[in-house]
Amino acid sequence: MSDSLVKVEGIGKRYKIGRRKSAEMRETFSNFLTLLKLRTTNNKFYEDRESEFWALKDISFQINEGEAVGIIGRNGAGKSTLLKLLSRITKPTTGRFEIHGRVGSLLEVGTGFHPELTGRENIYLNGTILGMRRAEIKSKFDEIITFSGVEEFIDTPVKHYSSGMKVRLAFSVAAHLEPEILIIDEVLAVGDAEFQKKCLGKMEDVTGQGRTVLFVSHNMRAVSQLCDRAILINEGKAVYSDKSDAVIEKYHEFLSNNNQGNKYIENYPLNKSVILNSFSLKENELRTNEVVEFNLNIESNSINHITDLSLLIFDDNYVRVGIVDLRSNDLFERSKISQNVSIKGAINNLPLIEGTYKIGIFIYSNLCHGNFNDLLEIKILPRNSDFLKYSKSARGIVDLNFSSIVC
Amino acid sequence: MPLFILRYQMNGLSKIVVDSKRNSLRIGFKDLKNYSDLFYILAYKDLRVRYAQTFLGIIWAILQPLATLMIFILIFGMIVKVDTQDIPYPLFAISGISMWTYFSFVFSQSGNSVIGAQEMIKKIYFPRLVIPLSKAIVGFVDFGLALLMLVVLFLVYGFAPSTNLIFAPLFILLNIVTALSFGIWLSALTIRYRDFHHIIPFLIQFGMYATPVAYPGRLVPDKYQFLYNLNPMAGLIEGFRWSLFGGNPPGIYLFMSIIVILLLFISGLIYFKRVEEIMADII
């Protein structure tokens, strides 16, 4: 096709793992000795330790001008490696690709920010690193500052900025890059809600202007909104490519096929010192507004002082629909300062419309903190009803009751 | 693994081709040119950051060569009494110190520069060569101040520079290329083998005694002259002195230095290019 802006032909990337750098030098030295015929055989010792791993294998696709393409897949599927290859951070082991036009990548916002420099200086520094010319930055300078919302502090060293301000400034620089092809990896996860909205708006502008975009995200809603087409990657291979909604559906199907323990999980390590002994639901198929009983047991190798613990509930687009704050639970109060925390409880009613939801946990303690999003799955079946319901997409997320009052 | 990058204009758009099968010895000058602004901005960043939050600021850049000069005057000028013919020793010494200061600064800064920029390298594409090359600009500040000291000493001693002075820029240019050659080599080697990180200060310390900074090169016995002049900085500093003070014009050894410098520079660029392809993976 003559108008394809990106043409990827069978690219693959191999990494060598489990190899130490000092061994590499010894190996080079030993090869050198072999070369000089000072030794007859090469030392096999180093080769045995080396193992290979294909992060990507035989990926081919084309992107036409003005298309926005989403790349989806589980963590470690190879999405980020693909973007690294296309943005030329590293080179492919096999295959070739062609890109017509300037590539701008938003792999990580704020790369190259220097804390001692002022906001103004960092705009220039960051912009040129991203591939902009100084004159180009100058012409967009006011726009960049206005978008970032840090006008007042533009001549203050960035080390005095809050992390939110830094992210806003960095994103603002990146968003004003005007490449023919824009590569984006998960940057929408940053900043406060207000700023995320601004960013999504900017993204819509960019795709609306007919810019070609390659977008990697876990946010299925954003992929579905912004991308015409998507590619599903699993274990380094492109397994499915179609209209984005079809691919997202395939991805969910794929996730549930690969997820046997959706009613309970056992021995799930949260980090090296804390383990989720068991986390289970009594039932994982129920109807709207029914009681959800659960069991949670966390064990650690030393005293785990838990200050926060919540269940997180996500819909199938990974939008958080609610949390269950377990700090109020009596059991939790008694066992929180120990090596074993056990909670048995129930969500009294779950007013969600039919669909599949994921349950994760959020924990904050001296040993471990973070969101663990994808632990259990719960299926809500349609509520029996005597009247014809609207379609699922029309009804939002929460199922609300109504009773009329006669005046 | 080989990598082939080619950019040319097509329908007003630049085209990038990356092919795993094709090898290229291209240095990518076109790409470097596209990123020329980055080159200056990285240098500006270094200059701004270097003396940020210091009380004396830029005075540090004068104190360092001044201290070296004092020590040299004391040891080589007064105690050892090195014969510098009719050139006053302080003037003789500062001419060597100014060149050596630039060399050692750019060499050590660019040698460590790529490791220092690893966060950037892992996250974004730009021609990596910009990083060590930008250090050549940073070194101009210190070099300029050392040259200023040289001019002041010329005035203090009422010493008239030689008419060879028109050749001085040539030696300064060669000094830039030499410092970058060493810097590019070491920055690429350090990425692969961190051992080289420890070699840089050693090389600089050792190098200063193996180079006619504090003493004239003719003090070295004739039978060692060839070996001595394999160090390209020897020919350069002698040549720089000739351009300032006159005397015997540089001979065959200067040409040897120039050949060594060019070989180091070209091989450095090629080696850097090869390491650049795997830089993000091994850093």
Side-chain angles (χ1 to χ4, degrees):
Chain A
M1 254 188 294
S2 60
D3 57 348
S4 66
L5 232 61
V6 179
K7 205 156 106 192
V8 177
E9 291 163 4
I11 59 171
K13 178 73 184 173
R14 183 186 57 203
Y15 283 109
K16 288 172 181 156
I17 51 174
R19 182 160 132 145
R20 291 209 315 252
K21 282 209 178 74
S22 56
E24 200 193 334
M25 185 158 191
R26 267 181 248 131
E27 190 188 347
T28 309
F29 187 64
S30 116
N31 287 341
F32 182 65
L33 291 180
T34 316
L35 198 77
L36 292 178
K37 302 263 195 293
L38 289 176
R39 283 165 35 159
T40 44
T41 50
N42 203 343
N43 196 338
K44 287 274 175 282
F45 177 67
Y46 300 112
E47 284 172 29
D48 293 342
R49 271 205 292 195
E50 189 182 310
S51 62
E52 288 179 359
F53 158 70
W54 285 88
L56 270 188
K57 237 176 166 175
D58 200 27
I59 303 263
S60 300
F61 59 88
Q62 294 195 356
I63 298 176
N64 297 330
E65 195 170 348
E67 252 186 329
V69 177
I71 308 279
I72 57 181
R74 287 192 298 182
N75 286 335
K79 308 180 300 279
S80 297
T81 307
L82 178 62
L83 292 201
K84 270 189 174 174
L85 292 180
L86 292 180
S87 52
R88 293 156 71 200
I89 291 170
T90 183
K91 47 136 207 94
T93 316
T94 61
R96 74 191 289 279
F97 65 86
E98 265 180 49
I99 294 177
H100 299 264
R102 191 161 75 157
V103 181
S105 51
L106 298 191
L107 295 180
E108 189 111 5
V109 286
T111 301
F113 260 32
H114 199 289
E116 295 285 352
L117 301 183
T118 66
R120 182 186 304 276
E121 288 164 331
N122 267 309
I123 290 178
Y124 280 99
L125 178 64
N126 198 226
T128 43
I129 290 173
L130 290 170
M132 277 195 267
R133 294 239 147 218
R134 213 156 37 157
E136 215 178 323
I137 302 170
K138 206 171 178 180
S139 70
K140 289 178 195 151
F141 196 80
D142 293 336
E143 235 179 289
I144 293 174
I145 303 181
T146 313
F147 186 81
S148 72
V150 298
E151 293 100 323
E152 284 173 71
F153 307 101
I154 202 65
D155 291 310
T156 308
V158 162
K159 64 179 173 185
H160 300 306
Y161 281 30
S162 70
S163 57
M165 282 161 71
K166 258 182 264 183
V167 165
R168 293 213 299 268
L169 186 64
F171 187 87
S172 180
V173 177
H176 288 80
L177 195 77
E178 285 178 1
E180 281 81 24
I181 298 132
L182 187 62
I183 294 181
I184 303 165
D185 190 0
E186 285 285 349
V187 285
L188 296 182
V190 300
D192 48 43
E194 174 83 3
F195 191 69
Q196 275 189 32
K197 225 163 101 187
K198 223 165 156 183
C199 295
L200 264 171
K202 185 81 193 172
M203 292 281 308
E204 273 163 15
D205 280 0
V206 168
T207 44
Q209 284 160 11
R211 197 76 52 75
T212 310
V213 179
L214 205 58
F215 182 42
V216 164
S217 179
H218 283 122
N219 183 341
M220 293 302 145
R221 179 164 290 182
V223 172
S224 151
Q225 257 174 35
L226 297 170
C227 303
D228 323 308
R229 207 149 64 77
I231 298 167
L232 173 59
I233 293 188
N234 187 49
E235 286 169 5
K237 297 192 191 85
V239 289
Y240 194 65
S241 164
D242 201 345
K243 292 251 176 299
S244 50
D245 287 333
V247 178
I248 291 169
E249 201 170 299
K250 197 94 181 169
Y251 176 58
H252 290 311
E253 216 174 90
F254 195 79
L255 273 184
S256 50
N257 287 343
N258 278 282
N259 191 358
Q260 291 99 7
N262 51 17
K263 190 176 169 185
Y264 67 91
I265 53 171
E266 284 176 324
N267 297 326
Y268 182 91
L270 299 180
N271 67 10
K272 61 181 190 298
S273 45
V274 182
I275 185 165
L276 198 56
N277 241 344
S278 68
F279 182 26
S280 62
L281 299 174
K282 195 177 174 198
E283 289 295 333
N284 75 332
E285 272 193 22
L286 24 92
R287 292 183 192 281
T288 304
N289 284 333
E290 284 185 336
V291 177
V292 185
E293 288 182 49
F294 66 90
N295 224 317
L296 179 65
N297 186 287
I298 299 168
E299 205 176 284
S300 49
N301 57 11
S302 61
I303 299 292
N304 192 16
H305 189 142
I306 299 174
T307 46
D308 294 78
L309 187 65
S310 304
L311 301 187
L312 311 172
I313 303 170
F314 298 92
D315 73 2
D316 53 4
N317 287 319
Y318 279 95
V319 170
R320 187 186 288 198
V321 296
I323 71 164
V324 182
D325 192 341
L326 300 175
R327 288 180 302 182
S328 54
N329 187 294
D330 289 345
L331 271 171
F332 173 58
E333 275 304 323
R334 266 185 277 129
S335 62
K336 72 173 183 183
I337 307 177
S338 77
Q339 280 175 252
N340 194 304
V341 180
S342 207
I343 297 168
K344 200 174 160 149
I347 303 168
N348 294 333
N349 66 328
L350 195 61
L352 297 172
I353 68 155
E354 66 270 20
T356 310
Y357 297 87
K358 307 245 188 297
I359 301 185
I361 67 166
F362 163 69
I363 182 167
Y364 194 100
S365 79
N366 56 328
L367 296 175
C368 162
H369 61 92
N371 289 333
F372 300 88
N373 290 349
D374 214 344
L375 300 175
L376 301 179
E377 203 172 271
I378 187 166
K379 201 165 186 178
I380 307 287
L381 304 172
R383 190 157 56 138
N384 288 328
S385 178
D386 8 351
F387 53 87
L388 194 65
K389 288 190 295 266
Y390 288 109
S391 77
K392 197 186 150 191
S393 61
R395 291 183 12 247
I397 298 170
V398 184
D399 194 280
L400 299 173
N401 274 322
F402 155 77
S403 52
S404 56
I405 299 162
V406 184
C407 314
Chain B
M1 265 312 134
L3 167 77
F4 180 72
I5 293 176
L6 176 73
R7 281 171 152 262
Y8 60 89
Q9 298 292 309
M10 207 188 85
N11 308 328
L13 292 179
S14 59
K15 180 181 172 184
I16 304 158
V17 178
V18 175
D19 192 326
S20 63
K21 284 187 192 60
R22 284 161 77 179
N23 202 351
S24 169
L25 291 178
R26 248 167 233 274
I27 305 301
F29 290 110
K30 184 99 188 250
D31 215 20
L32 275 180
K33 208 181 129 240
N34 288 335
Y35 279 86
S36 58
D37 285 345
L38 179 58
F39 185 73
Y40 297 114
I41 281 175
L42 284 180
Y44 172 79
K45 179 199 84 177
D46 279 358
L47 287 174
R48 270 294 314 266
V49 171
R50 217 166 118 210
Y51 299 112
Q53 285 198 355
T54 57
F55 179 63
L56 292 178
I58 197 91
I59 294 171
W60 283 113
I62 299 179
L63 282 180
Q64 277 161 337
L66 198 65
T68 315
L69 180 64
M70 293 304 174
I71 293 165
F72 280 8
I73 291 173
L74 194 70
I75 296 174
F76 295 97
M78 294 174 170
I79 301 173
V80 182
K81 292 198 173 64
V82 167
D83 175 24
T84 55
Q85 283 155 343
D86 52 352
I87 308 162
Y89 185 77
L91 198 51
F92 176 89
I94 192 69
S95 63
I97 291 171
S98 62
M99 291 284 271
W100 183 259
T101 301
Y102 180 81
F103 171 79
S104 61
F105 180 86
V106 175
F107 172 40
S108 69
Q109 291 284 312
S110 61
N112 290 320
S113 62
V114 178
I115 286 285
Q118 51 180 305
E119 284 312 306
M120 260 157 65
I121 286 171
K122 280 190 280 189
K123 283 169 193 157
I124 202 141
Y125 170 82
F126 55 91
R128 313 310 192 193
L129 206 50
V130 173
I131 305 170
L133 288 184
S134 72
K135 304 293 178 188
I137 300 182
V138 184
F140 285 147
V141 175
D142 294 50
F143 187 54
L145 290 169
L147 285 184
L148 195 72
M149 285 164 67
L150 179 74
V151 172
V152 169
L153 286 176
F154 260 115
L155 295 172
V156 167
Y157 286 97
F159 201 90
S162 138
T163 48
N164 303 333
L165 200 61
I166 48 164
F167 291 104
L170 172 74
F171 295 105
I172 293 172
L173 183 74
L174 283 171
N175 194 10
I176 297 171
V177 178
T178 315
L180 284 176
S181 307
F182 279 89
I184 291 168
W185 258 109
L186 265 293
S187 64
L189 282 169
T190 312
I191 293 288
R192 297 198 69 158
Y193 318 111
R194 297 290 148 99
D195 308 69
F196 284 93
H197 178 69
H198 304 284
I199 290 178
I200 296 173
F202 173 74
L203 275 179
I204 286 172
Q205 199 181 18
F206 173 76
M208 193 164 83
Y209 295 105
T211 306
V213 182
Y215 58 89
R218 66 190 149 68
L219 294 187
V220 174
D222 278 349
K223 59 177 174 178
Y224 298 122
Q225 278 289 339
F226 178 77
L227 209 63
Y228 185 72
N229 277 282
L230 278 179
N231 165 15
M233 285 308 287
L236 284 192
I237 290 187
E238 292 282 280
F240 185 61
R241 287 215 176 99
W242 166 77
S243 75
L244 295 176
F245 312 120
N248 296 329
I252 185 77
Y253 288 133
L254 178 64
F255 290 101
M256 200 170 87
S257 293
I258 293 176
I259 289 168
V260 171
I261 292 166
L262 289 180
L263 281 177
L264 271 174
F265 188 59
I266 293 164
S267 59
L269 287 178
I270 292 169
Y271 183 68
F272 190 91
K273 204 68 199 168
R274 281 191 50 189
V275 175
E276 184 178 32
E277 291 170 1
I278 51 168
M279 216 170 253
D281 299 338
I282 61 172
I283 203 159

